[in-house]
Amino acid sequence: IMRRPPRSPLFPSTTLFRSVTGANGQLGYDVIKRLNALGDEPVGADREEFDITDGKATENYITALRPDVIVHCAAYTAVDKAEDDRDTCRKVNVDGTRNIALACEKIGAKLVYISSDYVFGGSGTQPLEIDAPKDPQNIYGITKLGGEEEAKKCQKHFIVRISKFSSSIICIVSRMSLV
């Protein structure tokens, strides 16, 4: 397990230490890259470090690392394949998020959970309010909504719903982890 890196000289007043799950995925990789560009030194974690679907492994990893913030980018994102692999999708997106949230809560860390617009019905043409009715139409959306509910088990949680991957999303997620 990697230990906390030294504080960044570019952010001497910043005392937050960040970790990013799903570090080898597109979003996790880009969030780490963006935070590095800001002078931060987040610790990336992926399956090689711990299996988020294993509650004890997740707790052990996170309590040993003791980050102040976890940006939870790890997810089952193959939307079409999820229909045929429902169990794995649910384990990663719901159970994995529960494990991350409980570990964050245990050590007092903040959780930034990356969700999806798939939690909505998909028929709207206007921007939605944060409390708009949820109506996921597929297993991916159902499990991301379930992940949102699990993320709330961490008192200090933020839920970021994204509709498509872009550099502006990376900036938003990176800024959320600075809070």
Side-chain angles (χ1 to χ4, degrees), residues 2 8 17-18 25 35 37 43 45 66 75 88 116 128 146 157 165 178:
M2 186 171 204
S8 169
F17 166 53
R18 287 168 266 302
L35 288 170
V43 172
R66 300 198 69 77
T88 303
S116 169
L128 297 168
H157 71 276
F165 187 77
L178 296 172

Side-chain angles (χ1 to χ4, degrees), residues 17-165:
F17 166 53
R18 287 168 266 302
S19 181
V20 179
T21 66
N24 293 338
Q26 185 179 9
L27 180 60
Y29 174 84
D30 284 347
V31 167
I32 290 171
K33 186 176 170 183
R34 175 71 179 153
L35 288 170
N36 283 330
L38 293 172
D40 201 1
E41 298 178 31
V43 172
D46 213 277
R47 290 177 224 161
E48 295 77 23
E49 286 73 34
F50 71 101
D51 176 1
I52 66 170
T53 66
D54 179 333
K56 194 63 176 164
T58 301
E59 179 181 334
N60 289 343
Y61 182 86
I62 291 172
T63 56
L65 190 63
R66 300 198 69 77
D68 298 302
V69 179
I70 291 185
V71 182
H72 183 35
C73 297
Y76 187 108
T77 58
V79 176
D80 294 332
K81 187 178 175 189
E83 295 300 322
D84 296 324
D85 197 8
R86 291 170 176 252
D87 189 50
T88 303
C89 186
R90 189 173 318 283
K91 283 180 183 175
V92 173
N93 292 349
V94 180
D95 299 345
T97 301
R98 176 186 320 113
N99 295 335
I100 297 285
L102 292 174
C104 284
E105 183 65 19
K106 182 174 184 174
I107 64 168
K110 295 176 185 173
L111 172 61
V112 178
Y113 174 67
I114 309 304
S115 189
S116 169
D117 65 334
Y118 276 76
V119 302
F120 302 110
S123 61
T125 58
Q126 299 295 318
L128 297 168
E129 295 295 325
I130 193 166
D131 59 350
K134 313 308 179 285
D135 185 26
Q137 300 295 305
N138 57 27
I139 193 66
Y140 174 74
I142 291 167
T143 62
K144 291 305 283 185
L145 182 57
E148 288 187 11
E149 293 304 312
E150 296 299 332
K152 293 174 185 176
K153 291 181 177 174
C154 175
Q155 185 178 3
K156 302 176 197 171
H157 71 276
F158 301 90
I159 296 171
V160 181
R161 293 188 189 115
I162 60 176
S163 62
K164 62 181 179 177
F165 187 77

